[in-house]
Amino acid sequence: MMSPTPTRGGAEEVNALMTPLRHAILGVGGVGGLMGACLARCGAPVSVVVRPEMLDRFPEQLQLESAFGNFSVAVSRAAQVPPCDVLWITVKATQLEAALTALTKPESVRAIVPLLNGIDHLAVLRGKYGAEKVIAATIAVESERLAPGHIVHRSPFARLNVSSAGRSSLGETLDGLQKMGFECRFIDDEATLMWSKIVFLAPFALSTTAANKTVGEVLADPNWRDLGEGCVREACAVSVAEGAKVDAESILAWVRRAPPNMRSSMQKDVERGNPPELDAIAGPILRAAARHRIDIPVTKKLVGAVERRAMSS
């Protein structure tokens, strides 16, 4: 397992660690733009996959504003996924099916690493492209696209966890990202890997969206804090029943240390009138709770509140 504490180094030190894997980014939003910019900064060839009508208008550089540095890097552009060693899929869960039409030659892609919210996308991708090609991974970060190719990384951290199945192909890539400031780990147990994100993300996204507050404002309000903490405990109970090794108190301790101005992508989607990723983020908890006959009243209450906000926006 890699050290969770990153060490910063200059671009030459980062470049020296990287092997020249070819990377493609499918979904150049906040997360995809951050990944693409940082991979290119590490010296890797990066192609961004955009809609055909955007191909001529999308900039030839990614511009990143981040605690990791403010810089612009050159990238290639394509309307279809080009031959590559690693395809990072970073679209919203609601956009996955449409986005996959750009992957016309999956045999030309060596590995697929999805950084979507939720769990169910793994079964979808493995059913289409094979279990060995799809490497489970999660990212915890607040990153936002301001304009095509212009990304602002707002959180002071970016935590990238990857299944140990990807160690041989992605080891040096993660070393390079860690040198930039990412916190990277390989995780042996896939259930723990995937559920460890959901038990934080779902309560965070649901409570901030239902309340329309930042994480700090939620924690400062006794009623919303109780709902958020109750949702964490329910999510952890469900994830343990699913075979994951998670601890509610550790998750709550992390939430209390989170930057108080953090806002969830679900919250931003609802504000903009976009469909929230409710099924991807809360759906696994709801469905697993039903399978294991676990009562989750707080989670259901927050889901209902988000649905009402989404309908009225």
Side-chain angles (χ1 to χ4, degrees):
M1 184 174 294
M2 301 179 69
S3 168
T5 304
T7 56
R8 306 284 174 97
E12 292 183 0
E13 183 182 359
V14 173
N15 291 343
L17 288 172
M18 294 289 291
T19 54
L21 295 180
R22 300 162 300 164
H23 297 267
I25 309 294
L26 181 56
V28 200
V31 171
L34 172 68
M35 292 299 300
C38 290
L39 289 165
R41 181 71 165 175
C42 288
V46 174
S47 297
V48 296
V49 183
V50 300
R51 296 191 304 273
E53 65 270 20
M54 285 291 296
L55 189 57
D56 293 334
R57 290 181 285 159
F58 198 91
E60 296 179 341
Q61 292 187 323
L62 293 176
Q63 177 187 354
L64 179 65
E65 299 175 34
S66 169
F68 302 162
N70 299 332
F71 54 84
S72 295
V73 286
V75 294
S76 301
R77 300 166 298 173
Q80 296 180 341
V81 176
C84 58
D85 297 298
V86 185
L87 171 62
W88 301 85
I89 301 181
T90 51
V91 297
K92 296 277 190 183
T94 52
Q95 302 166 344
L96 179 60
E97 184 176 354
L100 291 178
T101 60
L103 182 50
T104 56
K105 296 181 179 179
E107 67 276 6
S108 68
V109 175
R110 289 179 56 194
I112 296 173
V113 185
L115 295 179
L116 281 71
N117 290 326
I119 290 179
D120 298 340
H121 59 272
L122 288 176
V124 171
L125 293 170
R126 286 169 174 166
K128 285 179 174 289
Y129 309 119
E132 293 184 357
K133 182 170 287 191
V134 179
I135 301 172
T138 65
I139 189 168
V141 69
E142 183 181 5
S143 187
E144 186 174 357
R145 185 187 71 174
L146 296 188
H150 183 187
I151 310 300
V152 175
H153 170 207
R154 300 193 184 281
S155 60
F157 59 83
R159 296 185 174 94
L160 179 64
N161 290 337
V162 178
S163 168
S164 294
R167 186 186 296 273
S168 60
S169 55
L170 292 172
E172 292 191 20
T173 296
L174 266 62
D175 283 342
L177 292 173
Q178 187 156 277
K179 287 289 184 181
M180 288 201 70
F182 278 70
E183 300 175 28
C184 301
R185 292 191 303 166
F186 286 109
I187 306 294
D188 293 334
D189 180 60
E190 187 170 299
T192 298
L193 165 64
M194 301 305 296
W195 279 98
S196 290
K197 178 175 179 178
I198 288 183
V199 297
F200 161 74
L201 175 62
F204 167 63
L206 293 172
S207 58
T208 57
T209 306
N212 195 22
K213 297 176 182 288
T214 65
V215 65
E217 291 168 338
V218 167
L219 293 175
D221 184 310
N223 291 328
W224 285 111
R225 183 179 65 243
D226 288 347
L227 287 172
E229 292 183 353
C231 189
V232 168
R233 297 184 191 283
E234 290 178 357
C236 285
V238 170
S239 67
V240 169
E242 285 286 290
K245 299 177 179 65
V246 298
D247 174 65
E249 295 308 316
S250 298
I251 300 298
L252 289 170
W254 194 93
V255 170
R256 294 172 189 131
R257 295 193 302 270
N261 61 342
M262 278 189 68
R263 300 167 72 240
S264 65
S265 60
M266 181 185 287
Q267 182 179 6
K268 297 172 187 177
D269 282 337
V270 169
E271 288 177 355
R272 295 165 183 164
N274 297 327
E277 295 181 283
L278 258 178
D279 187 68
I281 293 173
I285 299 173
L286 297 172
R287 289 186 284 272
R291 285 196 299 271
H292 298 286
R293 298 183 180 181
I294 297 173
D295 194 21
I296 51 169
V298 175
T299 304
K300 290 179 178 178
K301 181 175 182 177
L302 288 173
V303 167
V306 172
E307 289 174 335
R308 290 190 292 273
R309 275 208 67 215
M311 291 178 61
S312 63
S313 64

